[in-house]
Amino acid sequence: MVVPRIDYVMNVRLKNLIAGAEAKRLHEEKVAKTVLLTHKCHIVSSSVLAELLGTDVSNAKKLIDKLVAQRILQACRVDPCRMAPRGTVYKLDGFGVLKAHLLQDEFSEFRYDTNARVGGMAQVEHDLNCARIAANWIRHGGKLLETDYTIRRSKTEDQWLKIPDLVLLLNEAIFHFEVERSPKSESEVDRMLLAALQSNWRRTVWVCIAKPTAKQLESALQKREVHEWVLNKSNKWVRGTPIPLPFDFRQRQLVFRLHREPLLDSPTDWIQRFRKHAQLEHEHLSKRLTDEGWRHSVMRPSNWLEGSQECELWQEHRADEKLLLTHTGQGSWRLHLESNHPDEGQSVSTRIKPKQDSIGSPAPAGILEAALDLVQQAWP
């Protein structure tokens, strides 16, 4: 009779097992991540949670089944779509909302809808795309601060001119994500960019599911301006006053075509894409300077204002008429002739503070572009 070697079998199995206390801790971490993400993004799917936890969909589904049995999550039926091919998404149940309250030290209360109904397919796809971006961000060390859902339903008095879909944090740097599913007209794109310009200049990713929206956004950013839209006498919306989009705002606006490539996985990938986009904006400015024959010096101490800084701007065929860009403090600049005091020049319509150690460094690109635009208007 062959006697089984129980000790050998158990030793092999124990290599693939985690001690009870450690297993419980890991399970609670997964539950906490699941609850907090669902709480802020409103709905999730098994594939979204798989990306959040760094596992496959089958393991994520096992965790979901346990949470549904505990009434932390509840299953909701929706029309099958790309982000929920089986037609099932998950919301927090009553115990899940309570657990979310307990898990957050600084909880900003808002009304979470625990009704089993969800929005239409368009809203479901929008929310799941937001949840997927947030899940990958959290998985790779970032933090989800707010969503459009938490901002709109919050009881705080903070007013947002442009409510972003996602507010994400990485190493004290804040990023905004806007997921645009439906096609947008030119007037809608102008209003979106104008609201973002007037509210904040955060690094913003415009994730465009519809191809026309991406084209409209890219076109507005390339033209470097948007328009206010007004009603004419025939009660139709027409273009109004053009509003320029400053360089430093544009280089923080990244248009991402979801119909052309899949979402990037980690915050590092997004940061690299931002750097590439900013580099292209600098290259376009450098080409404009070269094509128009402009040259500029590095930053130096101002000859007119003590404690201020300035740089020269001139054209090679008109080197005897040098211009100076002088920083007068608090991000304000004046463009004037080299022989004139800054007060005799014109104010540059942008507010950028030079770095403290900018002596010997090139002038900020945004200032150079604003100065060129001013020169075209004042010295045609």
Side-chain angles (χ1 to χ4, degrees), residues 62-116:
K62 291 178 182 177
L63 176 63
I64 290 172
D65 291 341
K66 292 180 181 179
L67 297 181
V68 169
Q70 296 171 3
R71 293 192 60 190
I72 292 177
L73 292 180
Q74 58 176 317
C76 303
R77 297 295 300 173
V78 297
D79 293 332
C81 59
R82 184 177 61 86
M83 294 295 295
R86 296 185 179 181
T88 303
V89 296
Y90 300 91
K91 294 172 62 175
L92 291 182
D93 210 332
F95 289 129
V97 176
L98 178 61
K99 192 172 185 64
H101 289 200
L102 298 175
L103 286 172
Q104 300 181 65
D105 295 331
E106 298 179 1
F107 177 73
S108 179
E109 185 175 355
F110 66 91
R111 301 183 305 276
Y112 186 93
D113 178 19
T114 56
N115 195 301

Side-chain angles (χ1 to χ4, degrees), residues 325-344:
L325 272 167
T326 302
H327 180 245
T328 58
Q330 299 301 320
S332 299
W333 297 75
R334 304 285 293 187
L335 181 66
H336 57 97
L337 292 172
E338 187 178 26
S339 57
N340 293 345
H341 190 277
D343 291 343
E344 300 179 37

Side-chain angles (χ1 to χ4, degrees), residues 185-187 189-190 193 214-227 229 239 242-247 249-250 255 277 281 284 288 369 373 376-377:
S185 65
E186 183 182 2
S187 60
V189 167
D190 280 357
L193 286 175
K215 293 180 66 175
Q216 291 283 9
L217 279 167
E218 290 173 342
S219 176
L221 292 171
Q222 289 172 2
K223 292 178 181 177
R224 303 193 296 120
E225 67 178 16
V226 294
H227 291 81
W229 289 73
R239 286 183 178 180
I243 299 174
L245 298 175
F247 179 89
F249 171 80
R250 297 198 318 274
V255 179
H277 173 66
E281 290 293 331
H284 292 158
R288 180 185 175 187
E369 183 182 79
D373 293 339
Q376 288 183 344
Q377 299 172 8

